[in-house]
Every structure is written in structure tokens, then in C-alpha cells.
Amino acid sequence: MARPTPLSGFPEWLPDGRVVEQHVLDTLRRTFELHGFAGIETRAVEPLDQLLRKGETSKEVYVLRRLQEEAGEGEPARAAQLGLHFDLTVPFARYVLENAGHLAFPFRRYQIQKVWRGERPQDGRFREFAQADIDVVGAGELPYHYEVDLPLVMAEALGALREIGLPPVRVLVNNRRVAEGFYRGLRLTDVDAVLRSIDKLDKIGPDAVADLLVAEAGATPEQARACLDLAAISGGDAGVVDRVRSLAAAHGVESELMEQGLAELRQLVEAAAVRAPGVVVADLKIARGLDYYTGSVYETVLVGHEQLGSICSGGRYDTLASDGNQTYPGVGLSIGVSRLVSRLLSAGLVRATRGVPSAVLVAVTSEESRPQSDAVATALRARGVPVEVAPTAAKFGKQIKHADRRGIPFVWFPGEDGDQVKDIRSGEQVAADAGSWAPPAEDLWPRVVPAEG
Amino acid sequence: MARPTPLSGFPEWLPDGRVVEQHVLDTLRRTFELHGFAGIETRAVEPLDQLLRKGETSKEVYVLRRLQEEAGEGEPARAAQLGLHFDLTVPFARYVLENAGHLAFPFRRYQIQKVWRGERPQDGRFREFAQADIDVVGAGELPYHYEVDLPLVMAEALGALREIGLPPVRVLVNNRRVAEGFYRGLRLTDVDAVLRSIDKLDKIGPDAVADLLVAEAGATPEQARACLDLAAISGGDAGVVDRVRSLAAAHGVESELMEQGLAELRQLVEAAAVRAPGVVVADLKIARGLDYYTGSVYETVLVGHEQLGSICSGGRYDTLASDGNQTYPGVGLSIGVSRLVSRLLSAGLVRATRGVPSAVLVAVTSEESRPQSDAVATALRARGVPVEVAPTAAKFGKQIKHADRRGIPFVWFPGEDGDQVKDIRSGEQVAADAGSWAPPAEDLWPRVVPAEG
């Protein structure tokens, strides 16, 4: 077998990269659990017809078939075909319907799993990647305050990563009702076309968007200008709401829907300013997702790295799921973990202090005395110290080199007249007892720290 | 959308089942890390030709294709096709080859991931399930003592689950060299056919196996009897080795290969008896895996539940991977986690104390005072207490019922004259301060405990 090459779009980390990813996952999990989100996992596959309910995603789905089906079973009916999930929302909605009788609503869950998209792998686009989602779903109704809570939970989870070097985050929020109410108040009826045009603002600039609005959303130049003026509004306090109202008044827009959205937006911005000052900013140009979310919509950028785009997005669905009798409204956000970790690593923002768990390598004096080294390791592990025993009874210099190559900070030498332990970074060596010695807390487990320089 | 039904072979747990699974995974991870195994993850897919190198598994593979390939791209060449991995060994071998220049050998890793097999789902057989693997792999060579170490690490990891109600485990070991040396010494040349027959012992009994050995492995009745006599030998000390030697002598078997295997088996049993008394037992009828492992082979049963079969299996490969220049011998074991958790749950052996992380529900007196409840929650979380805030300012009785339905043990009542917290199990209610109160340690997080009765 020749040396294999990586598959484009399917990222894998070396052990020290995995330490970083695991730290990120553990940190997210802890924050989610502190907020009472139950962890669930769903199967990786869903019936293909469920995955394809939204046509736009159809190109991205990986379809499965059992290899033996090739040998004559024929193509199964589409309804029986399975595909890999491309997000965690579709499977969660299905899980809620399937288990509704066993869940207490509002049901809050987090879910950290791989998802797959058969897209052409491009810069930062993966075909397999981990997502970390939180959602709250209600049975029949879901109070608005969850639209305030959930982005703040995500901001807190991402904020907990600042200690390893993640830049601060800013959550940008918009509201479907504000946008739709404003556009309809302007007498623009193709709301989705307006949103699609506005979504291109960062890419093509306001003049080209104005042209698009005229060409594709049936806007007059004046209507297009009003849409662009709305998109230009942003801010972290309730002044935003006043500016939208002034703009609406200037264009003769009157809309109950807009007023409802503005009341929500005000509540979100005001509550967030109390609970997490400076984190949440209303930004009326956020259009992505407004076509399928029904209330708040969120994007999250790293301050100073805005050009990387949103690392955590989501919003409110009035109908996350429905079984005909009951609808289940929901609100949630999703972090693209692999993308985030990939950026942290490739930008050299963070590093792991080592790639192996072991804090100590126990040296082996001779193969006959290996049981003595094993006993030291057992004693240290019993007190929670991660340890491995040297692979061979090589010369001590070679055993130390083995520890060094693996990034293990301490080497333990069992001795007939008592044991010694050496910090191979400083060279300091002291007498030690396996029943009481422990490494300094910062050396006990691998840590993730901001990379220098 | 009608209420969906579960997909056979794709298990999912309700939140309290997931608490059990997560506890099992966390416990395994901790033991593996205490032993210096680095956690890695590999992508879910491998090139199909890699997955099919062993023909026997070909029926089990799920092949992927992008949905858009249906629309005219045509069938990709087999070499370009991808399949879902059906174990963690094939991807690990590929990972080692791909990253050999960046790894320090012997390289020890654990890997906990889902795998997929397109088998007909049967009793206890899943199409998607989690495995937890540990392996040590060397570059060119790998000392024998790892064949002693690794089953003991697994026994320790599974032993750490006894506190939640997992029965004690017994690791059954055999050695390819003993079996092959013995059979060849008997002048049986089709070793794999002998192993396949012996593997059926538990199912069809010794007489039928004797017939099989004659019919399929070309044995005389006397040779068949000798094979069955070997398979009948088992024991937890070095006496096993003597009994194999006596049997061999009785049949005029002389084999260097067998002697090498016996020396290994003796070392394993003796070292294990010191490090984990009573856990490891030599069992010469273990045949599964002996056809592809090259040294030790392991199966693990739950004492008192032997009929459930092996829950953790593995062995030694002289060539886990090879790139033409270098071979990488390895030894490892794999736990079928989903199967184990499924049995723990369905047999009613364990239960989670609750299905949600929250220890406390903070009641909301009125929607206007929600910020006060949010502030209590924030203060408690800052000290590591998992908390959620009531969904609505319903009557307190209804809020308590909401906590009860979710299994949350404490309800917090913010008050103008000081707060109170109620243990809703006992009804006891006391004054409390969010800056200092904490639940009893056993109520802080959901725990997994042996189920009663």
C-alpha cells in the first residue's frame, strides 16, 4: 500500500490539533450543560425524501447504498433511500416528532456531531465537518425570550474560548418581521427576491444591489434606495429601532408586522445589553436565513476577523416541525466547529501544550524490572496523573528522548533506593514517591493556549 | 409530516439514555487518557478500494454518491468511490501511513466514533454504532509487552463502569501461534478451515465440530479429537501452558511456533494475574479473529452474562499497515459501545438520575421580573451549577410541575426579601443566596447509577 494522500474536504487533525478541537468541544458542551441543554445524538442518516424537502440543498446530499445492492437488488425506491444528514436541524426536527410523547417542552437540547455535504471543497468549505447546535423547541408555542437567551448562550460558549486565543465575538441580529414589514410597506411583494439581493451587499456593493433590486425584485430606484437605507442601519441599542421608524415614516411605510418585529428587536438588544454588554448588535443588512426563519436571525463574527464570515448562525422557526396536529416552533444556533478549529490552527492563533495526554513517562531500567515501572504508573494513575511506561529498556538518554519527542514533560526513574523524577524541560531532578508526587497543575493534562507571536 | 418511525438498526436514545451513553464514553476516555492514549478522529469515509481489501466485508459497506451524480455525471470509477468505514482499524492504519512522519512511535491512540455496516439488522446488530478503540502501533517493531498491557487497559476501562452496575468483565485470550503450531504439528495444513470449524463450538457442539473438521479441514477423526481437546483447555494461570504441552506431547506434536506462542501466553497470563487478578483467562477455544490476527487474540465477556458474547475484542497484527518500505505492527481492542449501552438500558441494569443537566429551575414571578431570575441563574452558573430559568411566569405550582417533569431536583424562588430554594423531592424549602448556595454534590450533575431491583 503506497502512502495515502488526504481527501480534499475531509479534514483530519494530528494529535495536537485534535487536543485543540477536543478542548473546543468540551468547552462548548460545558457551557451548554450549565444552561440546561440536554445532549442528544441522532443517527447520521435520514430518509432521502426528508432531506430533500428543501430543494435547494439537493445537490449537497450524499446518498447511501449498500454495496451488495449493486449485485442485482436493483435501485431501491426513493422513499427507502437513505442519505447522510447535511445539518443537525432536520434530524432534530424528526427526533422531536418521533419522541414528542417522551419529551418535556420547551425542550432544550445541544447536539455536537459530524454532518456531510457533497459540495465541491473550496477554501474553508468541508465535505465532512462537526457542528455544535443548540435549540429550544416548544409544543404549540415558544415564548419570545428564548430568542434573547439562545444567542447569549452561544456568545457565552464562544466567549469561554477567549482564554485560548479566540478573538471576541459579536452577534449580529435582524428580524424577518422588520424586513418583510418594511418591504411590503414599500409595496414590494417579492420579499425573497429583495432578501436575495440585499444578501449580496458585502460582495457586490450598494450600486449593484440597487440594480438587482430593480431587475429582480421589481423595485423602482426609489424603493431600491429605501431598501439600501434600511440595510445601512445598525447599532447596539434601542436607537436602531427609532432610526428604522424614521426611515419607514419618510417612505410612508406603515406596517403592523414591522412594528411587531421592531418591538422584538428592541427587547433583544436591550436585554442583551444588560446581560452581555457589547456582544449583540442589530444589523439590518443581515439577510441570509431571513428567507426561511420567521423571526430573529443571527450571525456571529470574530471581532477583527469579520472577513471570515459568520462562525455561528441561526434563528427562529415558527414551524421547526409539525405532525399535522401540533406544530413545534423553535429557535437555535449552530457553530461550524471544524471550520472554527481549522482557522484557529491554520492562523496559528492557538497551540496545544502537547499532543499526548501523558504527563509522565516512567522509565524502564531493564525488561525484568518492567513490573516495577508498571507499579509506579498504576500508583500515579490512581491519583489521576496520566502516565505511560517506556516502550523498551533502552538507555535512559534514549528514553528521555522518547518523552521529549512526544512532548511528555516528566520522566520517572524507579530506583532501589527510592525513585526520582526529572522535569526534562528544566533538567531538574528530585526524589519522589509515586504515592504522593503530582506534577504542577498546569502540566497535568495537555492545555490549549494562545500561540505566541 | 406524519410522525416518523425509527429506522431499524439505527439506534437513538432519549435524553436519559444519552446520559448513560455519555457517561460510558467519558469513563472510557478518562481511562484511555490516564494511560497516555491520544484521542484522534478520522473522517467517516475511506476510498472504497481500501475498504474492500478484505473481501469478506464487502457486503457490509455503505457506498456514497453525491445526489447530483445521478443527474448525468455517470458512475465514478471505483477508485474514486467512497464508502463509510465499517470499523476504526482500517482508517487508523491509513492515518498512520498518511501521517507517519508526524507521529512518535510506538504511537498509542484511542478513537471513539460511529461506524456503519449495511447488514440486515438483527438482535443486537446495528447498522450504525459507536466503537471505542485503543491501539498501539510501532514502526518496524512492537515489543510483546503491549499484548499484555492493552487488554488490561480495556479491563480497567470497563471495570470503571462497575460502579454504575456493569457486571465484572473477563478477558479471554488465545494466541494464533499456539493454535497454528499445534494444528501444523498434527499435520493439518488448512489452518483457517480448522479455526472456522472450532469457532462454531459454542453453537453446534463438539460432535458436530468434529464432523466439520473431517469434512472441511481434511482431518482424521483422531486429529479432530486432538483439536477439540486443545479447545477444551482454559485457565487463569501458567498451568494452562503445561496442559497444552502435555496434549501436544501425547499427539507427537513438536512446533517451535507453538512454543513461541506458549511463551507469550504464559507471559500474558502471569503478568495479568499480578496486575489484575482474576481478569484474564487463557481460553484455547477462542478462534474468532485468529485467522487475521498474528499473535494474541482477545474476547471479553460480562461475568454472568456470557451468553451475550464478546463486548470487546481485538488482537495483535504483525502488519497493521505497510507502505512498502516500513511495516507497522500493532495491537488493539475495540469496544462495541452502542451494543453495550443498549444492553445496559434494555436489561434495566442502569439508569440516569435525570435526563437534563439542570440541577435548578429558577422560577419566574412575572415576565417583568425575568431579568431578576436570569441574574440568579447567571450567579449560580458562574459557580458551576447547571441551571435553567422557567419558560413562563406561570403559577408556581405549574413551574414546580415543569421541574418535576424534567427531573430537576431544585426550584429557586427569587424574592424581594431574599431568595428561597426548594428541594421538590422532599418539599424542604430554605432561604438561599445565589452567591453561595450549591446543591449537594450528588445532585449537581445527572449521574448514572445501578437500577434498583
Side-chain angles (χ1 to χ4, degrees):
Chain A
M1 181 178 179
R3 187 168 160 200
T5 50
L7 278 180
S8 178
F10 292 90
E12 287 182 338
W13 316 122
L14 286 166
D16 58 346
R18 175 63 184 166
V19 170
V20 172
E21 183 175 57
Q22 187 69 63
H23 177 87
V24 169
L25 296 174
D26 288 346
T27 302
L28 297 177
R29 173 182 162 191
R30 180 170 168 84
T31 305
F32 299 159
E33 291 186 347
L34 279 173
H35 284 264
F37 290 82
I40 68 162
E41 280 203 343
T42 57
R43 62 192 191 219
V45 305
E46 296 295 333
L48 193 55
D49 55 358
Q50 282 305 308
L51 293 171
L52 300 183
R53 281 197 302 162
K54 293 180 196 170
E56 61 188 305
T57 57
S58 62
K59 284 185 187 168
E60 302 179 354
V61 174
Y62 278 112
V63 185
L64 298 190
R65 92 194 128 165
R66 287 183 297 135
L67 189 61
Q68 66 180 16
E69 285 166 11
E70 290 184 313
E73 282 189 22
E75 183 86 348
R78 183 138 190 171
Q81 282 191 301
L82 300 175
L84 293 174
H85 57 217
F86 55 81
D87 71 7
L88 301 177
T89 304
V90 171
F92 175 57
R94 191 261 315 151
Y95 180 95
V96 167
L97 287 183
E98 193 173 314
N99 300 296
H102 304 282
L103 304 175
F105 294 96
F107 176 57
R108 27 201 315 129
R109 80 86 174 83
Y110 75 89
Q111 193 171 347
I112 301 178
Q113 285 185 253
K114 296 281 175 60
V115 305
W116 293 268
R117 295 183 188 179
E119 298 176 346
R120 295 251 162 246
Q122 296 163 7
D123 175 50
R125 288 279 179 105
F126 293 131
R127 293 183 147 189
E128 174 181 70
F129 54 99
Q131 284 194 330
D133 282 28
I134 55 173
D135 284 273
V136 175
V137 61
E141 56 180 7
L142 185 73
Y144 176 76
H145 65 80
Y146 289 113
E147 291 177 56
V148 182
D149 293 338
L150 265 73
L152 292 178
V153 174
M154 276 301 197
E156 186 178 322
L158 292 165
L161 294 171
R162 287 191 63 179
E163 65 181 38
I164 66 165
L166 189 77
V169 297
R170 180 167 298 137
V171 182
L172 310 175
V173 304
N174 197 357
N175 189 297
R176 162 88 189 192
R177 293 184 173 92
V178 175
E180 180 170 350
F182 185 88
Y183 302 149
R184 292 199 187 281
L186 284 174
R187 294 186 174 68
L188 289 167
T189 51
D190 190 348
V191 173
D192 285 352
V194 178
L195 291 171
R196 275 198 306 277
S197 304
I198 292 292
D199 190 34
K200 300 204 165 76
L201 203 45
D202 281 345
K203 254 189 208 156
I204 62 176
D207 291 344
V209 168
D211 292 346
L212 264 185
L213 285 165
V214 171
E216 305 204 348
T220 64
E222 199 198 8
Q223 288 170 323
R225 184 53 50 198
C227 291
L228 286 167
D229 286 347
L230 180 71
I233 294 174
S234 74
D237 59 41
V240 166
V241 170
D242 300 330
R243 285 155 64 200
V244 175
R245 283 214 184 99
S246 305
L247 181 68
H251 290 277
V253 167
E254 282 181 19
S255 163
E256 261 189 53
L257 189 66
M258 182 188 79
E259 282 302 327
Q260 189 190 348
L262 285 174
E264 292 180 354
L265 198 58
R266 173 195 291 273
Q267 192 178 337
L268 175 47
V269 169
E270 286 183 346
V274 172
R275 289 168 60 182
V279 168
V280 171
V281 172
D283 188 339
L284 282 291
K285 79 167 184 295
I286 301 294
R288 189 155 40 115
L290 279 184
D291 48 342
Y292 47 92
Y293 293 115
T294 53
S296 299
V297 61
Y298 317 105
E299 296 197 353
T300 312
V301 294
L302 297 173
V303 175
H305 300 261
E306 288 79 1
Q307 79 289 354
L308 294 177
S310 177
I311 58 161
C312 171
S313 307
R316 156 98 187 197
Y317 294 95
D318 280 341
T319 308
L320 176 77
S322 170
D323 63 5
N325 298 316
Q326 179 79 283
T327 62
Y328 297 89
V331 54
L333 296 97
S334 175
I335 300 178
V337 177
S338 299
R339 207 170 161 195
L340 183 65
V341 170
S342 167
R343 284 167 180 176
L344 285 171
L345 292 172
S346 64
L349 286 171
V350 304
R351 66 176 179 86
T353 54
R354 59 183 187 261
V356 298
S358 308
V360 181
L361 178 81
V362 182
V364 176
T365 310
S366 67
E367 283 305 326
E368 292 68 45
S369 70
R370 178 172 291 277
Q372 194 184 341
S373 299
D374 285 334
V376 168
T378 301
L380 288 169
R381 283 184 201 119
R383 293 187 302 101
V385 181
V387 182
E388 59 192 83
V389 177
T392 63
K395 285 183 180 158
F396 281 164
K398 208 175 155 191
Q399 297 191 43
I400 291 169
K401 202 171 272 173
H402 177 73
D404 189 41
R405 212 166 42 229
R406 285 171 63 72
I408 301 172
F410 293 95
V411 177
W412 190 284
F413 301 100
E416 300 201 354
D417 310 324
D419 297 357
Q420 303 244 316
V421 65
K422 184 191 195 87
D423 183 333
I424 64 171
R425 297 160 303 186
S426 66
E428 191 191 5
Q429 185 165 332
V430 296
D433 183 285
S436 59
W437 180 89
E442 72 266 22
D443 289 329
L444 185 60
W445 291 102
R447 284 175 306 119
V448 178
V449 295
E452 287 142 39
Chain B
M1 180 176 180
R3 189 168 158 200
T5 50
L7 278 179
S8 178
F10 291 90
E12 288 182 338
W13 315 123
L14 286 167
D16 58 346
R18 176 62 183 167
V19 169
V20 172
E21 182 175 58
Q22 188 68 64
H23 177 86
V24 169
L25 296 174
D26 287 348
T27 302
L28 298 177
R29 173 181 165 192
R30 179 169 168 87
T31 304
F32 299 159
E33 292 186 346
L34 280 173
H35 284 265
F37 290 81
I40 68 162
E41 280 203 343
T42 57
R43 63 193 189 218
V45 304
E46 298 292 334
L48 193 55
D49 54 0
Q50 282 305 308
L51 293 172
L52 300 182
R53 281 198 300 163
K54 293 181 196 168
E56 61 187 305
T57 56
S58 62
K59 284 185 186 165
E60 302 180 353
V61 175
Y62 277 112
V63 185
L64 297 190
R65 90 193 129 165
R66 286 183 296 135
L67 190 61
Q68 66 180 16
E69 283 166 12
E70 290 184 312
E73 282 188 22
E75 183 85 346
R78 181 136 188 170
Q81 282 190 300
L82 299 175
L84 293 174
H85 57 216
F86 54 80
D87 70 8
L88 302 177
T89 305
V90 171
F92 175 55
R94 190 262 314 151
Y95 180 95
V96 166
L97 288 181
E98 193 173 313
N99 300 297
H102 303 283
L103 304 174
F105 293 96
F107 175 57
R108 30 201 312 131
R109 82 86 175 80
Y110 76 90
Q111 192 169 347
I112 300 177
Q113 284 184 254
K114 296 280 175 63
V115 304
W116 294 268
R117 295 183 188 177
E119 298 175 347
R120 294 250 163 248
Q122 297 163 7
D123 175 51
R125 288 279 178 103
F126 293 131
R127 293 182 148 189
E128 173 180 71
F129 54 99
Q131 286 194 328
D133 282 27
I134 55 172
D135 285 273
V136 176
V137 61
E141 56 181 6
L142 185 72
Y144 175 75
H145 64 80
Y146 289 112
E147 290 177 56
V148 182
D149 293 338
L150 265 71
L152 292 177
V153 174
M154 276 302 195
E156 185 178 323
L158 292 165
L161 294 171
R162 287 191 63 179
E163 66 182 38
I164 64 165
L166 189 76
V169 297
R170 181 168 298 138
V171 182
L172 311 176
V173 304
N174 196 0
N175 189 297
R176 161 87 189 193
R177 292 186 174 92
V178 174
E180 179 170 350
F182 185 88
Y183 302 148
R184 291 198 187 282
L186 286 174
R187 291 182 178 72
L188 289 168
T189 51
D190 190 349
V191 173
D192 284 352
V194 178
L195 291 171
R196 275 198 305 278
S197 304
I198 293 292
D199 190 34
K200 300 203 166 76
L201 203 44
D202 281 343
K203 253 189 210 156
I204 62 176
D207 292 342
V209 168
D211 293 346
L212 264 186
L213 285 165
V214 171
E216 304 204 350
T220 65
E222 199 199 8
Q223 287 171 325
R225 184 54 47 198
C227 292
L228 287 167
D229 287 347
L230 181 72
I233 294 174
S234 73
D237 59 39
V240 166
V241 170
D242 300 331
R243 285 155 64 199
V244 174
R245 281 213 186 100
S246 304
L247 181 70
H251 291 277
V253 168
E254 284 181 18
S255 163
E256 262 189 52
L257 189 65
M258 182 187 78
E259 281 302 326
Q260 191 191 344
L262 285 174
E264 291 180 355
L265 199 57
R266 174 195 292 272
Q267 192 179 335
L268 175 47
V269 169
E270 286 183 346
V274 171
R275 288 168 61 184
V279 168
V280 171
V281 172
D283 188 340
L284 280 293
K285 79 167 185 292
I286 302 293
R288 188 154 42 117
L290 279 184
D291 49 341
Y292 49 90
Y293 293 115
T294 55
S296 300
V297 61
Y298 317 104
E299 295 197 354
T300 310
V301 294
L302 297 174
V303 176
H305 300 261
E306 288 80 0
Q307 80 289 355
L308 294 177
S310 177
I311 58 160
C312 171
S313 308
R316 155 97 186 199
Y317 295 95
D318 281 342
T319 308
L320 177 77
S322 170
D323 64 5
N325 297 317
Q326 178 80 282
T327 62
Y328 297 89
V331 55
L333 295 96
S334 176
I335 300 178
V337 177
S338 299
R339 209 170 160 195
L340 182 65
V341 170
S342 167
R343 284 167 180 178
L344 286 171
L345 293 173
S346 64
L349 287 171
V350 305
R351 66 176 179 88
T353 54
R354 59 183 187 260
V356 297
S358 308
V360 181
L361 177 81
V362 182
V364 176
T365 311
S366 67
E367 283 304 327
E368 293 67 45
S369 69
R370 179 172 290 279
Q372 194 185 341
S373 299
D374 286 335
V376 169
T378 300
L380 289 170
R381 284 183 199 119
R383 294 186 302 103
V385 181
V387 182
E388 59 191 83
V389 178
T392 63
K395 286 184 180 158
F396 281 164
K398 205 175 157 191
Q399 298 192 41
I400 291 170
K401 203 171 272 177
H402 178 73
D404 188 41
R405 214 166 41 230
R406 285 172 64 71
I408 301 172
F410 293 95
V411 177
W412 190 283
F413 302 99
E416 299 202 353
D417 310 323
D419 297 358
Q420 303 244 315
V421 65
K422 183 191 196 83
D423 182 334
I424 64 170
R425 298 160 302 185
S426 66
E428 191 191 7
Q429 183 165 333
V430 297
D433 184 285
S436 58
W437 180 89
E442 71 267 21
D443 289 328
L444 185 59
W445 292 102
R447 285 175 305 120
V448 179
V449 295
E452 287 142 39

